[in-house]
Amino acid sequence: MSSKTELIKEMLEMQKKFIEHEHSSGIDPQDYFTPEAGSDLDGYRQKYMELAMKVVDLAHEEAGSHR
């Protein structure tokens, strides 16, 4: 499993690419929520949520708490 720091770095890289895409061509809500297969946003939300939940789980593990 990746460390929390590596996961956060990956999330930040995803955000950077998203912002670059937004600045260059804009983001239509439909493209964000229901992207076409193969588009830059295809799978973005799901992947980002998976990474975020892994970070949350690791943080809870470190703190000895539960979500």
Side-chain angles (χ1 to χ4, degrees):
M1 179 184 280
S2 298
S3 74
K4 189 170 65 170
T5 302
E6 291 169 342
L7 294 171
I8 292 170
K9 284 181 183 178
E10 186 174 352
M11 291 171 68
L12 290 172
E13 186 61 35
M14 288 178 71
Q15 287 177 351
K16 180 181 174 183
K17 289 179 183 178
F18 180 90
I19 291 168
E20 288 172 357
H21 178 82
E22 180 182 31
H23 287 174
S24 68
S25 56
I27 301 288
D28 183 285
Q30 183 174 353
D31 294 335
Y32 179 74
F33 289 103
T34 56
E36 292 185 24
S39 75
D40 290 342
L41 297 176
D42 187 23
Y44 176 86
R45 289 184 330 115
Q46 296 82 0
K47 173 76 173 178
Y48 194 87
M49 180 62 75
E50 287 173 15
L51 294 172
M53 290 297 96
K54 286 179 183 179
V55 170
V56 168
D57 290 340
L58 289 170
H60 278 295
E61 188 177 301
E62 288 175 5
S65 60
H66 308 283
R67 71 174 164 125

